[in-house]
Amino acid sequence: MSWLDHLLVRALPLVPRPVMERFAKRYVAGTDREHALEVGASLAGAGYRLTFDLLGEAVRDPAMVAAAAAEYRALLAALEARGLERNVSLKPTQMGLDLDPELCFRTVDALVEDAATRDGFVRFEMEESRTVPATLEVFTRLRERHGGRVGCVLQAMLRRSEDDARALLAAAEPLNVRLVKGIYVEPPEVAFQEADEIVASYLRILRVLLEGGAFVAVATHDERLVEGCASLLEEEPAWREQVELQMLLGVREDYRRRLREAGWPLRVYVPYGERWRAYVTRRLRENPRLARRALFGVFSRRERLTD
């Protein structure tokens, strides 16, 4: 991790808002629902699957939980009205996990019910390691009620995740998992620290999930993981029906386009909302190595999707 990465992160609070807006524009669809819907429509027209994500986490006010839930309900209705895929992702702490796990369960339960009436899907995300036990407890209850209408996330960098995958597979309900490397800074006793260790963990967990019959969203921009996934699918072609690739808006778009053109089913995460600055700043502080990559992204354009 270079001195430049640390310097960029420490300077973030001093960056003027207009500059920060440009800094974030490549990776965030906009501040409101309409911006997100416009970006989503363009992506859908170019052949991508979609997941929409309202920015916000670490919520400690019940009124903010209610407001986020209301926005998700409005988003689901707008997606249905526009004929776009009703697929959303939300953070446990955005839904009140830090306030009360029961509040979180009730809030997300109602949203999954709403999504189900619109033939939709809700991804219940994963955050830093301290939240993992409560997140999985809430997800287990949601999955018991809604089956495949709700999915979870596992982070390959966490040492516990392979065991978590096996425990999730032991239940009878359909399992839909988004598998990520993980971006949170965690201590060595909790998480693998070296890139090769994280890649190896990711591919082990991916095999476990596929062998167990789960649907796996392979969320990565790392060519090693895509190639590793491809090798597994060559080994067992039936697993192709259990996999899609997922990438974040604005990240490695040329590579994303090549994968789509090669026939991979590919989903793009479309984040939006007023809390974009907190989102970008927190992500860069949690992983300073992303700072330089994000800075360079300011000077490049998003993929042109249509003529």
Side-chain angles (χ1 to χ4, degrees), residues 231-292:
S231 295
L232 287 173
L233 300 187
E234 288 177 7
E235 176 184 326
E236 181 50 74
W239 288 342
R240 294 181 185 277
E241 299 302 314
Q242 296 171 229
V243 166
E244 71 177 13
L245 300 183
Q246 294 189 354
M247 299 181 79
L248 299 173
L249 184 70
V251 179
R252 299 207 64 187
E253 290 175 320
D254 288 343
Y255 183 46
R256 184 184 77 193
R257 183 170 55 251
R258 293 199 304 272
L259 291 171
R260 184 196 67 207
E261 291 171 350
W264 285 92
L266 210 154
R267 181 178 302 279
V268 179
Y269 259 53
V270 182
Y272 76 98
E274 294 286 348
R275 298 186 69 184
W276 61 266
R277 181 163 185 149
Y279 168 80
V280 172
T281 302
R282 180 169 178 172
R283 286 294 175 267
L284 296 181
R285 282 177 173 161
E286 286 164 346
N287 191 343
R289 288 170 293 186
L290 296 177
R292 185 164 22 170

Side-chain angles (χ1 to χ4, degrees), residues 24-289:
K25 183 181 258 186
R26 181 180 178 88
Y27 308 100
V28 177
T31 58
D32 59 37
R33 191 185 324 131
E34 283 304 312
H35 285 116
L37 292 169
E38 290 172 9
V39 171
S42 295
L43 288 163
Y48 294 106
R49 300 175 182 181
L50 304 173
T51 290
F52 291 83
D53 181 6
L54 174 67
L55 295 175
E57 55 193 278
V59 172
R60 300 189 181 279
D61 180 350
M64 293 178 67
V65 175
E71 173 60 24
Y72 271 111
R73 286 192 293 272
L75 172 62
L76 287 165
L79 291 170
E80 184 176 39
R82 295 201 181 197
L84 295 172
E85 186 175 5
R86 277 77 71 195
N87 189 300
V88 300
S89 178
L90 46 83
K91 293 288 193 297
T93 61
Q94 181 187 38
M95 297 290 107
L97 187 71
D98 283 342
L99 289 168
D100 178 7
E102 187 62 30
L103 169 64
C104 180
F105 169 75
R106 292 196 307 270
T107 302
V108 181
D109 181 54
L111 287 173
V112 182
E113 288 274 10
D114 190 350
T117 65
R118 306 176 193 279
D119 193 26
F121 175 84
V122 173
R123 176 76 63 193
F124 193 54
E125 287 278 359
M126 190 68 75
E127 299 171 87
E128 61 262 45
S129 60
R130 70 170 182 82
T131 70
V132 171
T135 296
L136 288 175
E137 288 176 10
V138 172
F139 173 70
T140 296
R141 295 174 64 190
L142 293 167
R143 184 180 169 206
E144 288 171 352
R145 282 182 46 78
H146 303 287
R149 291 290 183 187
V150 62
C152 68
V153 177
L154 291 177
Q155 300 174 76
M157 70 182 296
L158 296 183
R159 296 180 183 276
R160 62 171 290 164
S161 289
E162 186 173 349
D163 288 339
D164 287 335
R166 295 182 188 281
L168 289 166
L169 288 167
E173 298 85 6
L175 179 62
N176 186 312
V177 177
R178 183 177 191 238
L179 184 58
V180 303
K181 284 184 178 179
I183 68 164
Y184 297 93
V185 176
E186 302 281 3
E189 61 270 21
V190 169
F192 300 111
Q193 303 295 308
E194 299 300 324
D196 288 346
E197 289 182 308
I198 296 170
V199 167
S201 173
Y202 193 111
L203 294 175
R204 286 197 307 272
I205 296 168
L206 177 57
R207 177 182 287 277
V208 167
L209 291 169
L210 292 174
E211 288 177 343
F215 182 88
V216 187
V218 177
T220 186
H221 311 98
D222 188 331
E223 295 181 28
R224 293 172 298 174
L225 293 180
V226 175
E227 291 166 2
C229 179
S231 295
L232 287 173
L233 300 187
E234 288 177 7
E235 176 184 326
E236 181 50 74
W239 288 342
R240 294 181 185 277
E241 299 302 314
Q242 296 171 229
V243 166
E244 71 177 13
L245 300 183
Q246 294 189 354
M247 299 181 79
L248 299 173
L249 184 70
V251 179
R252 299 207 64 187
E253 290 175 320
D254 288 343
Y255 183 46
R256 184 184 77 193
R257 183 170 55 251
R258 293 199 304 272
L259 291 171
R260 184 196 67 207
E261 291 171 350
W264 285 92
L266 210 154
R267 181 178 302 279
V268 179
Y269 259 53
V270 182
Y272 76 98
E274 294 286 348
R275 298 186 69 184
W276 61 266
R277 181 163 185 149
Y279 168 80
V280 172
T281 302
R282 180 169 178 172
R283 286 294 175 267
L284 296 181
R285 282 177 173 161
E286 286 164 346
N287 191 343
R289 288 170 293 186

